[in-house]
Amino acid sequence: PSYILKHLSHIRRLDLLGSEAEIKPIAFSLIGPAPLMDSIHIHSSTMVFLPFDLFANSAPRLRHVDLRHCQIQWSSFLFTSLVTLHIEFPCCFSSFSSLPSLADLLDILEINPNLEDLSLQRCLPLFLYTRLPQTVSRTISLSNLKQLYLKGEALDCASLLQSLAYPATTTLRISVGLEILSGIVRYV
């Protein structure tokens, strides 16, 4: 971890692959600014919590974020000025407090008008399990979007889709849950 921190100011792309035990110490050492960081990919085999002040909240060139089985505050600076945003939560991850509200997710998308590739898997705001309907009367325009992939419950996907405007040429891929049996969700 200390080696990466020493060179953080020169790193353009950071790829971390491994278990929570392997990734967590490295992630929590990423406390310095990353002025040249363009791309971050963190893929964990189990859910790992990332620090709120990753890169000391300073990575001005960051355009590509790919987080698999990683939890970070939805208000993180990481979610600004992006071209690529991929977030995937593990199957059957049941921490509802880790999911954004529809308003929070739309806020993130609104400050990323240059998004070209958006993939949200099992991390959509929950429509059925919230006490209040997640209706938001605004539409977010993603005029550069080329690919959109959503994976989750049908109502959760629909709830987000009705709030987005994107080009007719966008490739849209949606995998919706068919049934929930003993905590196992099947997607198509």
Side-chain angles (χ1 to χ4, degrees):
S2 63
Y3 176 80
I4 294 174
L5 182 58
K6 281 184 197 176
H7 297 280
L8 199 52
S9 63
H10 322 317
I11 296 174
R12 292 183 188 274
R13 178 183 172 125
L14 181 63
D15 292 314
L16 298 176
L17 306 159
S19 68
E20 176 190 15
E22 295 165 325
I23 290 175
K24 191 173 182 177
I26 296 170
F28 276 84
S29 74
L30 302 174
I31 54 174
L36 300 179
M37 184 76 63
D38 173 71
S39 181
I40 181 169
H41 302 264
I42 302 177
H43 293 194
S44 177
S45 57
T46 55
M47 198 65 161
V48 62
F49 295 87
L50 301 179
F52 182 74
D53 59 349
L54 200 64
F55 307 129
N57 294 322
S58 180
R61 294 187 181 181
L62 188 63
R63 297 296 176 264
H64 307 278
V65 172
D66 183 357
L67 304 175
R68 182 177 301 159
H69 303 176
C70 297
Q71 182 178 341
I72 192 162
Q73 297 270 338
W74 290 96
S75 58
S76 170
F77 87 98
L78 278 183
F79 303 127
T80 57
S81 302
L82 298 177
V83 173
T84 303
L85 177 59
H86 293 183
I87 301 176
E88 178 182 347
F89 278 10
C91 183
C92 304
F93 182 66
S94 61
S95 177
F96 297 137
S97 64
S98 301
L99 300 172
S101 68
L102 181 58
D104 288 343
L105 184 53
L106 293 178
D107 288 346
I108 290 168
L109 297 177
E110 190 168 45
I111 60 174
N112 288 284
N114 295 320
L115 270 175
E116 294 178 5
D117 187 357
L118 176 61
S119 175
L120 301 172
Q121 299 181 53
R122 297 185 216 93
C123 61
L124 298 172
L126 294 175
F127 183 80
L128 282 178
Y129 301 105
T130 55
R131 293 172 198 232
L132 298 172
Q134 297 213 25
T135 55
V136 176
S137 60
R138 65 179 168 150
T139 301
I140 305 303
S141 178
L142 298 174
S143 58
N144 296 316
L145 198 62
K146 294 177 181 167
Q147 296 184 51
L148 174 59
Y149 177 41
L150 301 177
K151 185 174 191 175
E153 293 300 316
L155 287 174
D156 303 338
C157 292
S159 181
L160 178 58
L161 284 172
Q162 74 181 9
S163 298
L164 299 180
Y166 47 86
T169 56
T170 300
T171 300
L172 182 60
R173 189 169 147 220
I174 301 174
S175 295
V176 296
L178 289 178
E179 60 185 63
I180 300 175
L181 295 172
S182 304
I184 298 172
V185 180
R186 289 187 341 184
Y187 291 94
V188 290

